[in-house]
Amino acid sequence: MTVSPDPVPPGARSLDRLLDDLARQPFRARFHLRGRDRATAELKGPATIRWHAYDLIAKRLAPAAPYKDGKQTPYRGHPVFVAQHATATCCRSCLAR
């Protein structure tokens, strides 16, 4: 008898749990896509927005000496900025928490 593999990787469960916990934080829970940011997300589509998120985080958060280090991630102006605040990936200190 063979055991079917779990369709959800083990790390995904802990990530889902973490995102659920973040959603319950009052500060994080108030972020929603509205207006121009929502229109941008709908127009570009999920694949493009994912690529933008990857690119922004790779350039602004991942490097040892990131561009604009210590500057606040804007609250609006791109759907990824809103998502970064909602998921605590807006800066290194939030990410560390």
Side-chain angles (χ1 to χ4, degrees):
M1 175 154 92
T2 61
V3 177
S4 63
D6 190 358
V8 180
R13 284 196 187 101
S14 59
L15 180 60
D16 287 343
R17 199 171 315 121
L18 176 64
L19 291 173
D20 287 342
D21 290 344
L22 285 171
R24 283 191 281 283
Q25 293 178 357
F27 177 73
R28 306 283 171 209
R30 73 175 193 218
F31 290 101
H32 300 281
L33 288 180
R34 294 184 174 95
R36 187 175 289 167
D37 292 336
R38 185 180 185 111
T40 299
E42 290 173 355
L43 180 68
K44 300 288 184 183
T48 302
I49 296 299
R50 268 191 216 101
W51 176 251
H52 288 177
Y54 172 82
D55 189 47
L56 285 169
I57 289 172
K59 288 179 180 174
R60 293 178 170 224
L61 203 58
Y67 173 69
K68 293 189 175 186
D69 192 19
K71 304 291 184 198
Q72 179 67 38
T73 298
Y75 284 98
R76 287 185 285 306
H78 195 287
V80 174
F81 295 151
V82 178
Q84 281 184 275
H85 287 291
T87 58
T89 59
C90 48
C91 63
R92 289 179 175 206
S93 61
C94 287
L95 190 59
R97 278 186 253 152

